[in-house]
Amino acid sequence: MSQPLLQLTGIVKEFPGVRALDGVDLVVRAGEVHCLLGQNGAGKSTLIKVLAGAYTPDEGEIVMDGDAVTFGDPQAALAAGIATIYQELDLVDGLSVADNIFLGHEKTRLGFSRVGDSHRAARDLLTSLGHPEIRPSRETGSLSAAGKQIVSMARALSRQARVIVMDEPSAVLDPDEVDGLFRVIEELRASGQAIIYISHRLEEIRRIGDRLTVLKDGRTVASDLPAGETPTAELITLMTGRDVSAEFPRRTTPLPDADPLLVVEGLGREGEFEDVSFEVRPGEILGFAGLVGAGRSEIVETVYGARRAQRGSVTVDGRRLRPGSVDVAVGAGLGLCPEERKSQGLVLDEAVYRNISLGTLPRFSRLGVTRESAERTAAHAAARSVDLRPDDPDRVTRTLSGGNQQKVVLARWLLRSCRVLLLDEPTRGVDVGARSEIYGLIRRLADDGVAVIVVSSDIDEVLGLSDRVMVVADGRIVHAGPADDLDAHAVLDRILSGNEPTGNEPTGNEPTGNESKGDAA
């Protein structure tokens, strides 16, 4: 084993009433991808901020290249050679690529910016990362999510970083972009940089990682595990403290023989999607698979009324909805858990109970005055039904983990008693333990007669949860049929080939015959 490049020993960080880190140990070597695993709330985010210099540990030691170091601020961490790429990228969209790369350490002479030097240096960095097509003068906000990731990496390299921390770097990337990200990581590893890679996606960990460290409740519970060989069941047990072997809950009852609750016919929006038709019955889970940008989110947002359909119709229980009206859709029984729950689904600085009751406030109002006691009681009951943790309806929503924030959104629609639930990326940024709980909630809703639509970039998630699957490519439905008839390879083939359905393929409206659906591939 080579000498550790970075070593953390007994790191402790306390906040009022919370011991976020309780003696964390971490050893990272040059030229390796070291994966950090743990549920939301395990301490990963706090540890990242300690490494980035945003937090100073209360106890413990950080050693870099054999020397003890102390980071009083982020600049000190950068000067020591540690750069962090956060999940929510800290780029300035209105600045150029070059300006973002050298933000905070601009190339100047006698106090004046040297634009030409910045552009040449930025071009060299982008070329070294395999992306010479990204122009240094381009406005950063016009780049794709993958392009922004590359700019963040170039910024890290511009600081001569020897340790690069990547927090959920693939969360918003499609499979091709993830492949590109991994090629860059492999090149960085080959050149001697150390990568600390944080992800909830175990398949990524196995593919790109060398060694693993697992955190639970602010402590290191396992270290030096081989990324490619440690059994999934062992990792899940380490992270959660319990066995979560049956990740996708089984359908235990046959699909009800009922008329469709939701009928979508010929739906279209110029430049986004065209001629989309499908039906969903009570108790059925319909999955939408496809790449980021294929039109999946736009379809469900249009069904919900957040976007105005230019063509086609949406009908709920025989009632045709007015296009572009969320109020009408919600009144008809639709609910949406949006892709970006923090910015689109939650008021983060409000209490949990208020976020849950947002869709039902008129129920608790009399003569324009909210009966707060009744509101709290109902919201608390909904929170308990989704096993929200901690069980504190007054807690500020921002302080919850990603999985529990998603449970707040689900609890809102449970309280509303919605009949059609649209879920866009329901487990993005959610750890494996909370993910299993959310899957159970979704299945329970379906068993109670709710018609559910699940949109996900995770093909295994779509197949594991759904009774039927619609494959979307370039704004078109290219396949529809029972989930049991597909595996991940078949779905990916349809996504990438964009083949139109043949006359012999199902339209997506036939009974599935899925009497006892089990786990999918």
Side-chain angles (χ1 to χ4, degrees):
M1 282 285 190
S2 62
Q3 177 72 21
L5 174 59
L6 175 68
Q7 185 164 359
L8 284 71
T9 306
I11 300 296
V12 172
K13 183 62 185 176
E14 292 186 347
F15 300 98
V18 178
R19 196 173 177 93
L21 299 178
D22 190 15
V24 169
D25 300 326
L26 178 67
V27 176
V28 183
R29 294 182 170 83
E32 77 163 339
V33 177
H34 194 107
C35 299
L36 191 62
L37 296 182
Q39 295 192 85
N40 291 113
K44 302 188 303 298
S45 295
T46 304
L47 185 62
I48 290 170
K49 290 178 180 177
V50 167
L51 282 171
Y55 292 157
T56 301
D58 300 312
E59 298 177 27
E61 184 179 52
I62 302 175
V63 175
M64 186 84 173
D65 247 352
D67 296 323
V69 294
T70 301
F71 304 143
D73 54 46
Q75 289 298 321
L78 286 167
I82 300 175
T84 301
I85 301 172
Y86 292 99
Q87 180 178 357
E88 297 176 1
L89 298 176
D90 54 348
L91 300 175
V92 182
D93 283 347
L95 294 182
S96 71
V97 167
D99 286 343
N100 267 293
I101 290 174
F102 295 105
L103 190 63
H105 63 126
E106 293 81 0
K107 292 187 175 295
T108 61
R109 176 182 293 168
L110 300 176
F112 293 96
S113 297
R114 300 167 64 185
V115 176
D117 289 350
S118 294
H119 282 210
R120 280 189 291 274
R123 190 178 301 111
D124 290 343
L125 287 167
L126 294 166
T127 299
S128 72
L129 291 171
H131 286 270
E133 78 284 356
I134 299 178
R135 291 180 289 105
S137 60
R138 183 171 175 177
E139 186 174 310
T140 305
S142 68
L143 293 173
S144 67
K148 290 181 179 180
Q149 289 281 9
I150 296 300
V151 173
S152 290
M153 289 186 202
R155 176 196 283 180
L157 294 180
S158 76
R159 292 283 194 165
Q160 306 298 311
R162 301 176 61 198
V163 178
I164 301 176
V165 183
M166 297 184 179
D167 185 11
E168 297 282 354
S170 66
V172 296
L173 305 183
D174 65 37
D176 284 342
E177 291 172 329
V178 171
D179 289 342
L181 170 68
F182 284 1
R183 282 194 296 272
V184 171
I185 291 175
E186 286 164 358
E187 290 169 4
L188 293 172
R189 174 169 52 192
S191 65
Q193 265 105 349
I195 309 294
I196 299 176
Y197 191 91
I198 299 163
S199 177
H200 293 306
R201 299 178 177 179
L202 297 183
E203 70 278 6
E204 290 184 3
I205 297 296
R206 300 195 184 287
R207 181 177 164 193
I208 198 65
D210 295 306
R211 294 185 304 127
L212 300 170
T213 291
V214 181
L215 301 185
K216 184 179 186 297
D217 298 330
R219 299 184 180 93
T220 300
V221 295
S223 59
D224 206 27
L225 298 175
E229 301 167 15
T230 306
T232 298
E234 180 181 342
L235 291 175
I236 291 175
T237 300
L238 287 168
M239 284 188 282
T240 65
R242 65 185 191 277
D243 181 16
V244 194
S245 55
E247 186 175 16
F248 297 108
R250 293 177 178 273
R251 171 174 284 285
T252 56
T253 58
L255 279 169
D257 185 17
D259 292 333
L261 182 56
L262 173 68
V263 178
V264 175
E265 295 181 303
L267 206 65
R269 277 178 54 88
E270 194 69 36
E272 293 180 355
F273 59 89
E274 200 60 55
D275 197 25
V276 170
S277 300
F278 60 87
E279 299 175 352
V280 193
R281 287 175 287 167
E284 183 178 28
I285 300 177
L286 176 65
F288 277 72
L291 301 180
V292 174
R296 306 162 309 160
S297 296
E298 291 79 1
I299 291 169
V300 296
E301 288 174 4
T302 303
V303 170
Y304 184 65
R307 297 173 186 252
R308 185 179 180 86
Q310 295 168 327
R311 289 169 290 280
S313 64
V314 176
T315 304
V316 177
D317 202 15
R319 173 188 174 190
R320 184 164 175 166
L321 305 188
R322 185 171 75 246
S325 174
V326 171
D327 288 345
V328 169
V330 172
L334 270 69
L336 172 67
C337 295
E339 179 179 12
E340 299 294 338
R341 59 178 172 267
K342 289 186 177 181
S343 60
Q344 299 174 339
L346 294 168
V347 184
L348 290 173
D349 292 321
E350 281 283 358
V352 165
Y353 81 86
R354 179 55 54 83
N355 269 285
I356 291 174
S357 66
L358 274 177
T360 328
L361 276 177
R363 183 191 304 178
F364 309 110
S365 298
R366 181 178 297 163
L367 300 176
V369 178
T370 300
R371 294 177 294 124
E372 192 168 321
S373 175
E375 177 192 8
R376 283 172 177 272
T377 299
H380 197 190
R384 285 181 169 172
S385 72
V386 299
D387 193 23
L388 187 71
R389 292 191 295 270
D391 183 17
D392 178 7
D394 293 316
R395 189 181 180 103
V396 176
T397 307
R398 184 184 297 279
T399 65
L400 298 177
S401 68
N404 281 294
Q405 287 180 1
Q406 188 69 297
K407 288 181 181 180
V408 170
V409 183
L410 287 169
R412 177 186 303 158
W413 298 117
L414 282 175
L415 183 59
R416 178 80 194 188
S417 300
C418 73
R419 305 172 67 198
V420 180
L421 184 58
L422 313 172
L423 304 172
D424 195 354
E425 301 287 0
T427 62
R428 174 173 290 171
V430 174
D431 66 74
V432 66
R435 189 182 306 162
S436 180
E437 293 173 357
I438 288 171
Y439 292 158
L441 286 170
I442 293 170
R443 173 52 63 192
R444 192 182 85 203
L445 286 167
D447 288 345
D448 288 343
V450 176
V452 181
I453 293 177
V454 174
V455 173
S456 178
S457 302
D458 186 332
I459 295 174
D460 287 334
E461 180 170 273
V462 172
L463 293 174
L465 275 175
S466 306
D467 301 303
R468 286 187 298 119
V469 172
M470 314 283 285
V471 181
V472 185
D474 296 325
R476 298 175 296 117
I477 304 296
V478 297
H479 177 85
D484 283 345
D485 291 350
L486 297 167
D487 60 21
H489 293 291
V491 172
L492 192 57
D493 178 64
R494 286 162 171 79
I495 288 173
L496 297 178
S497 66
N499 289 332
E500 289 281 348
T502 68
N504 295 325
E505 282 184 307
T507 65
N509 299 332
E510 298 86 345
T512 67
N514 185 7
E515 300 298 310
S516 58
K517 177 171 171 52
D519 294 341

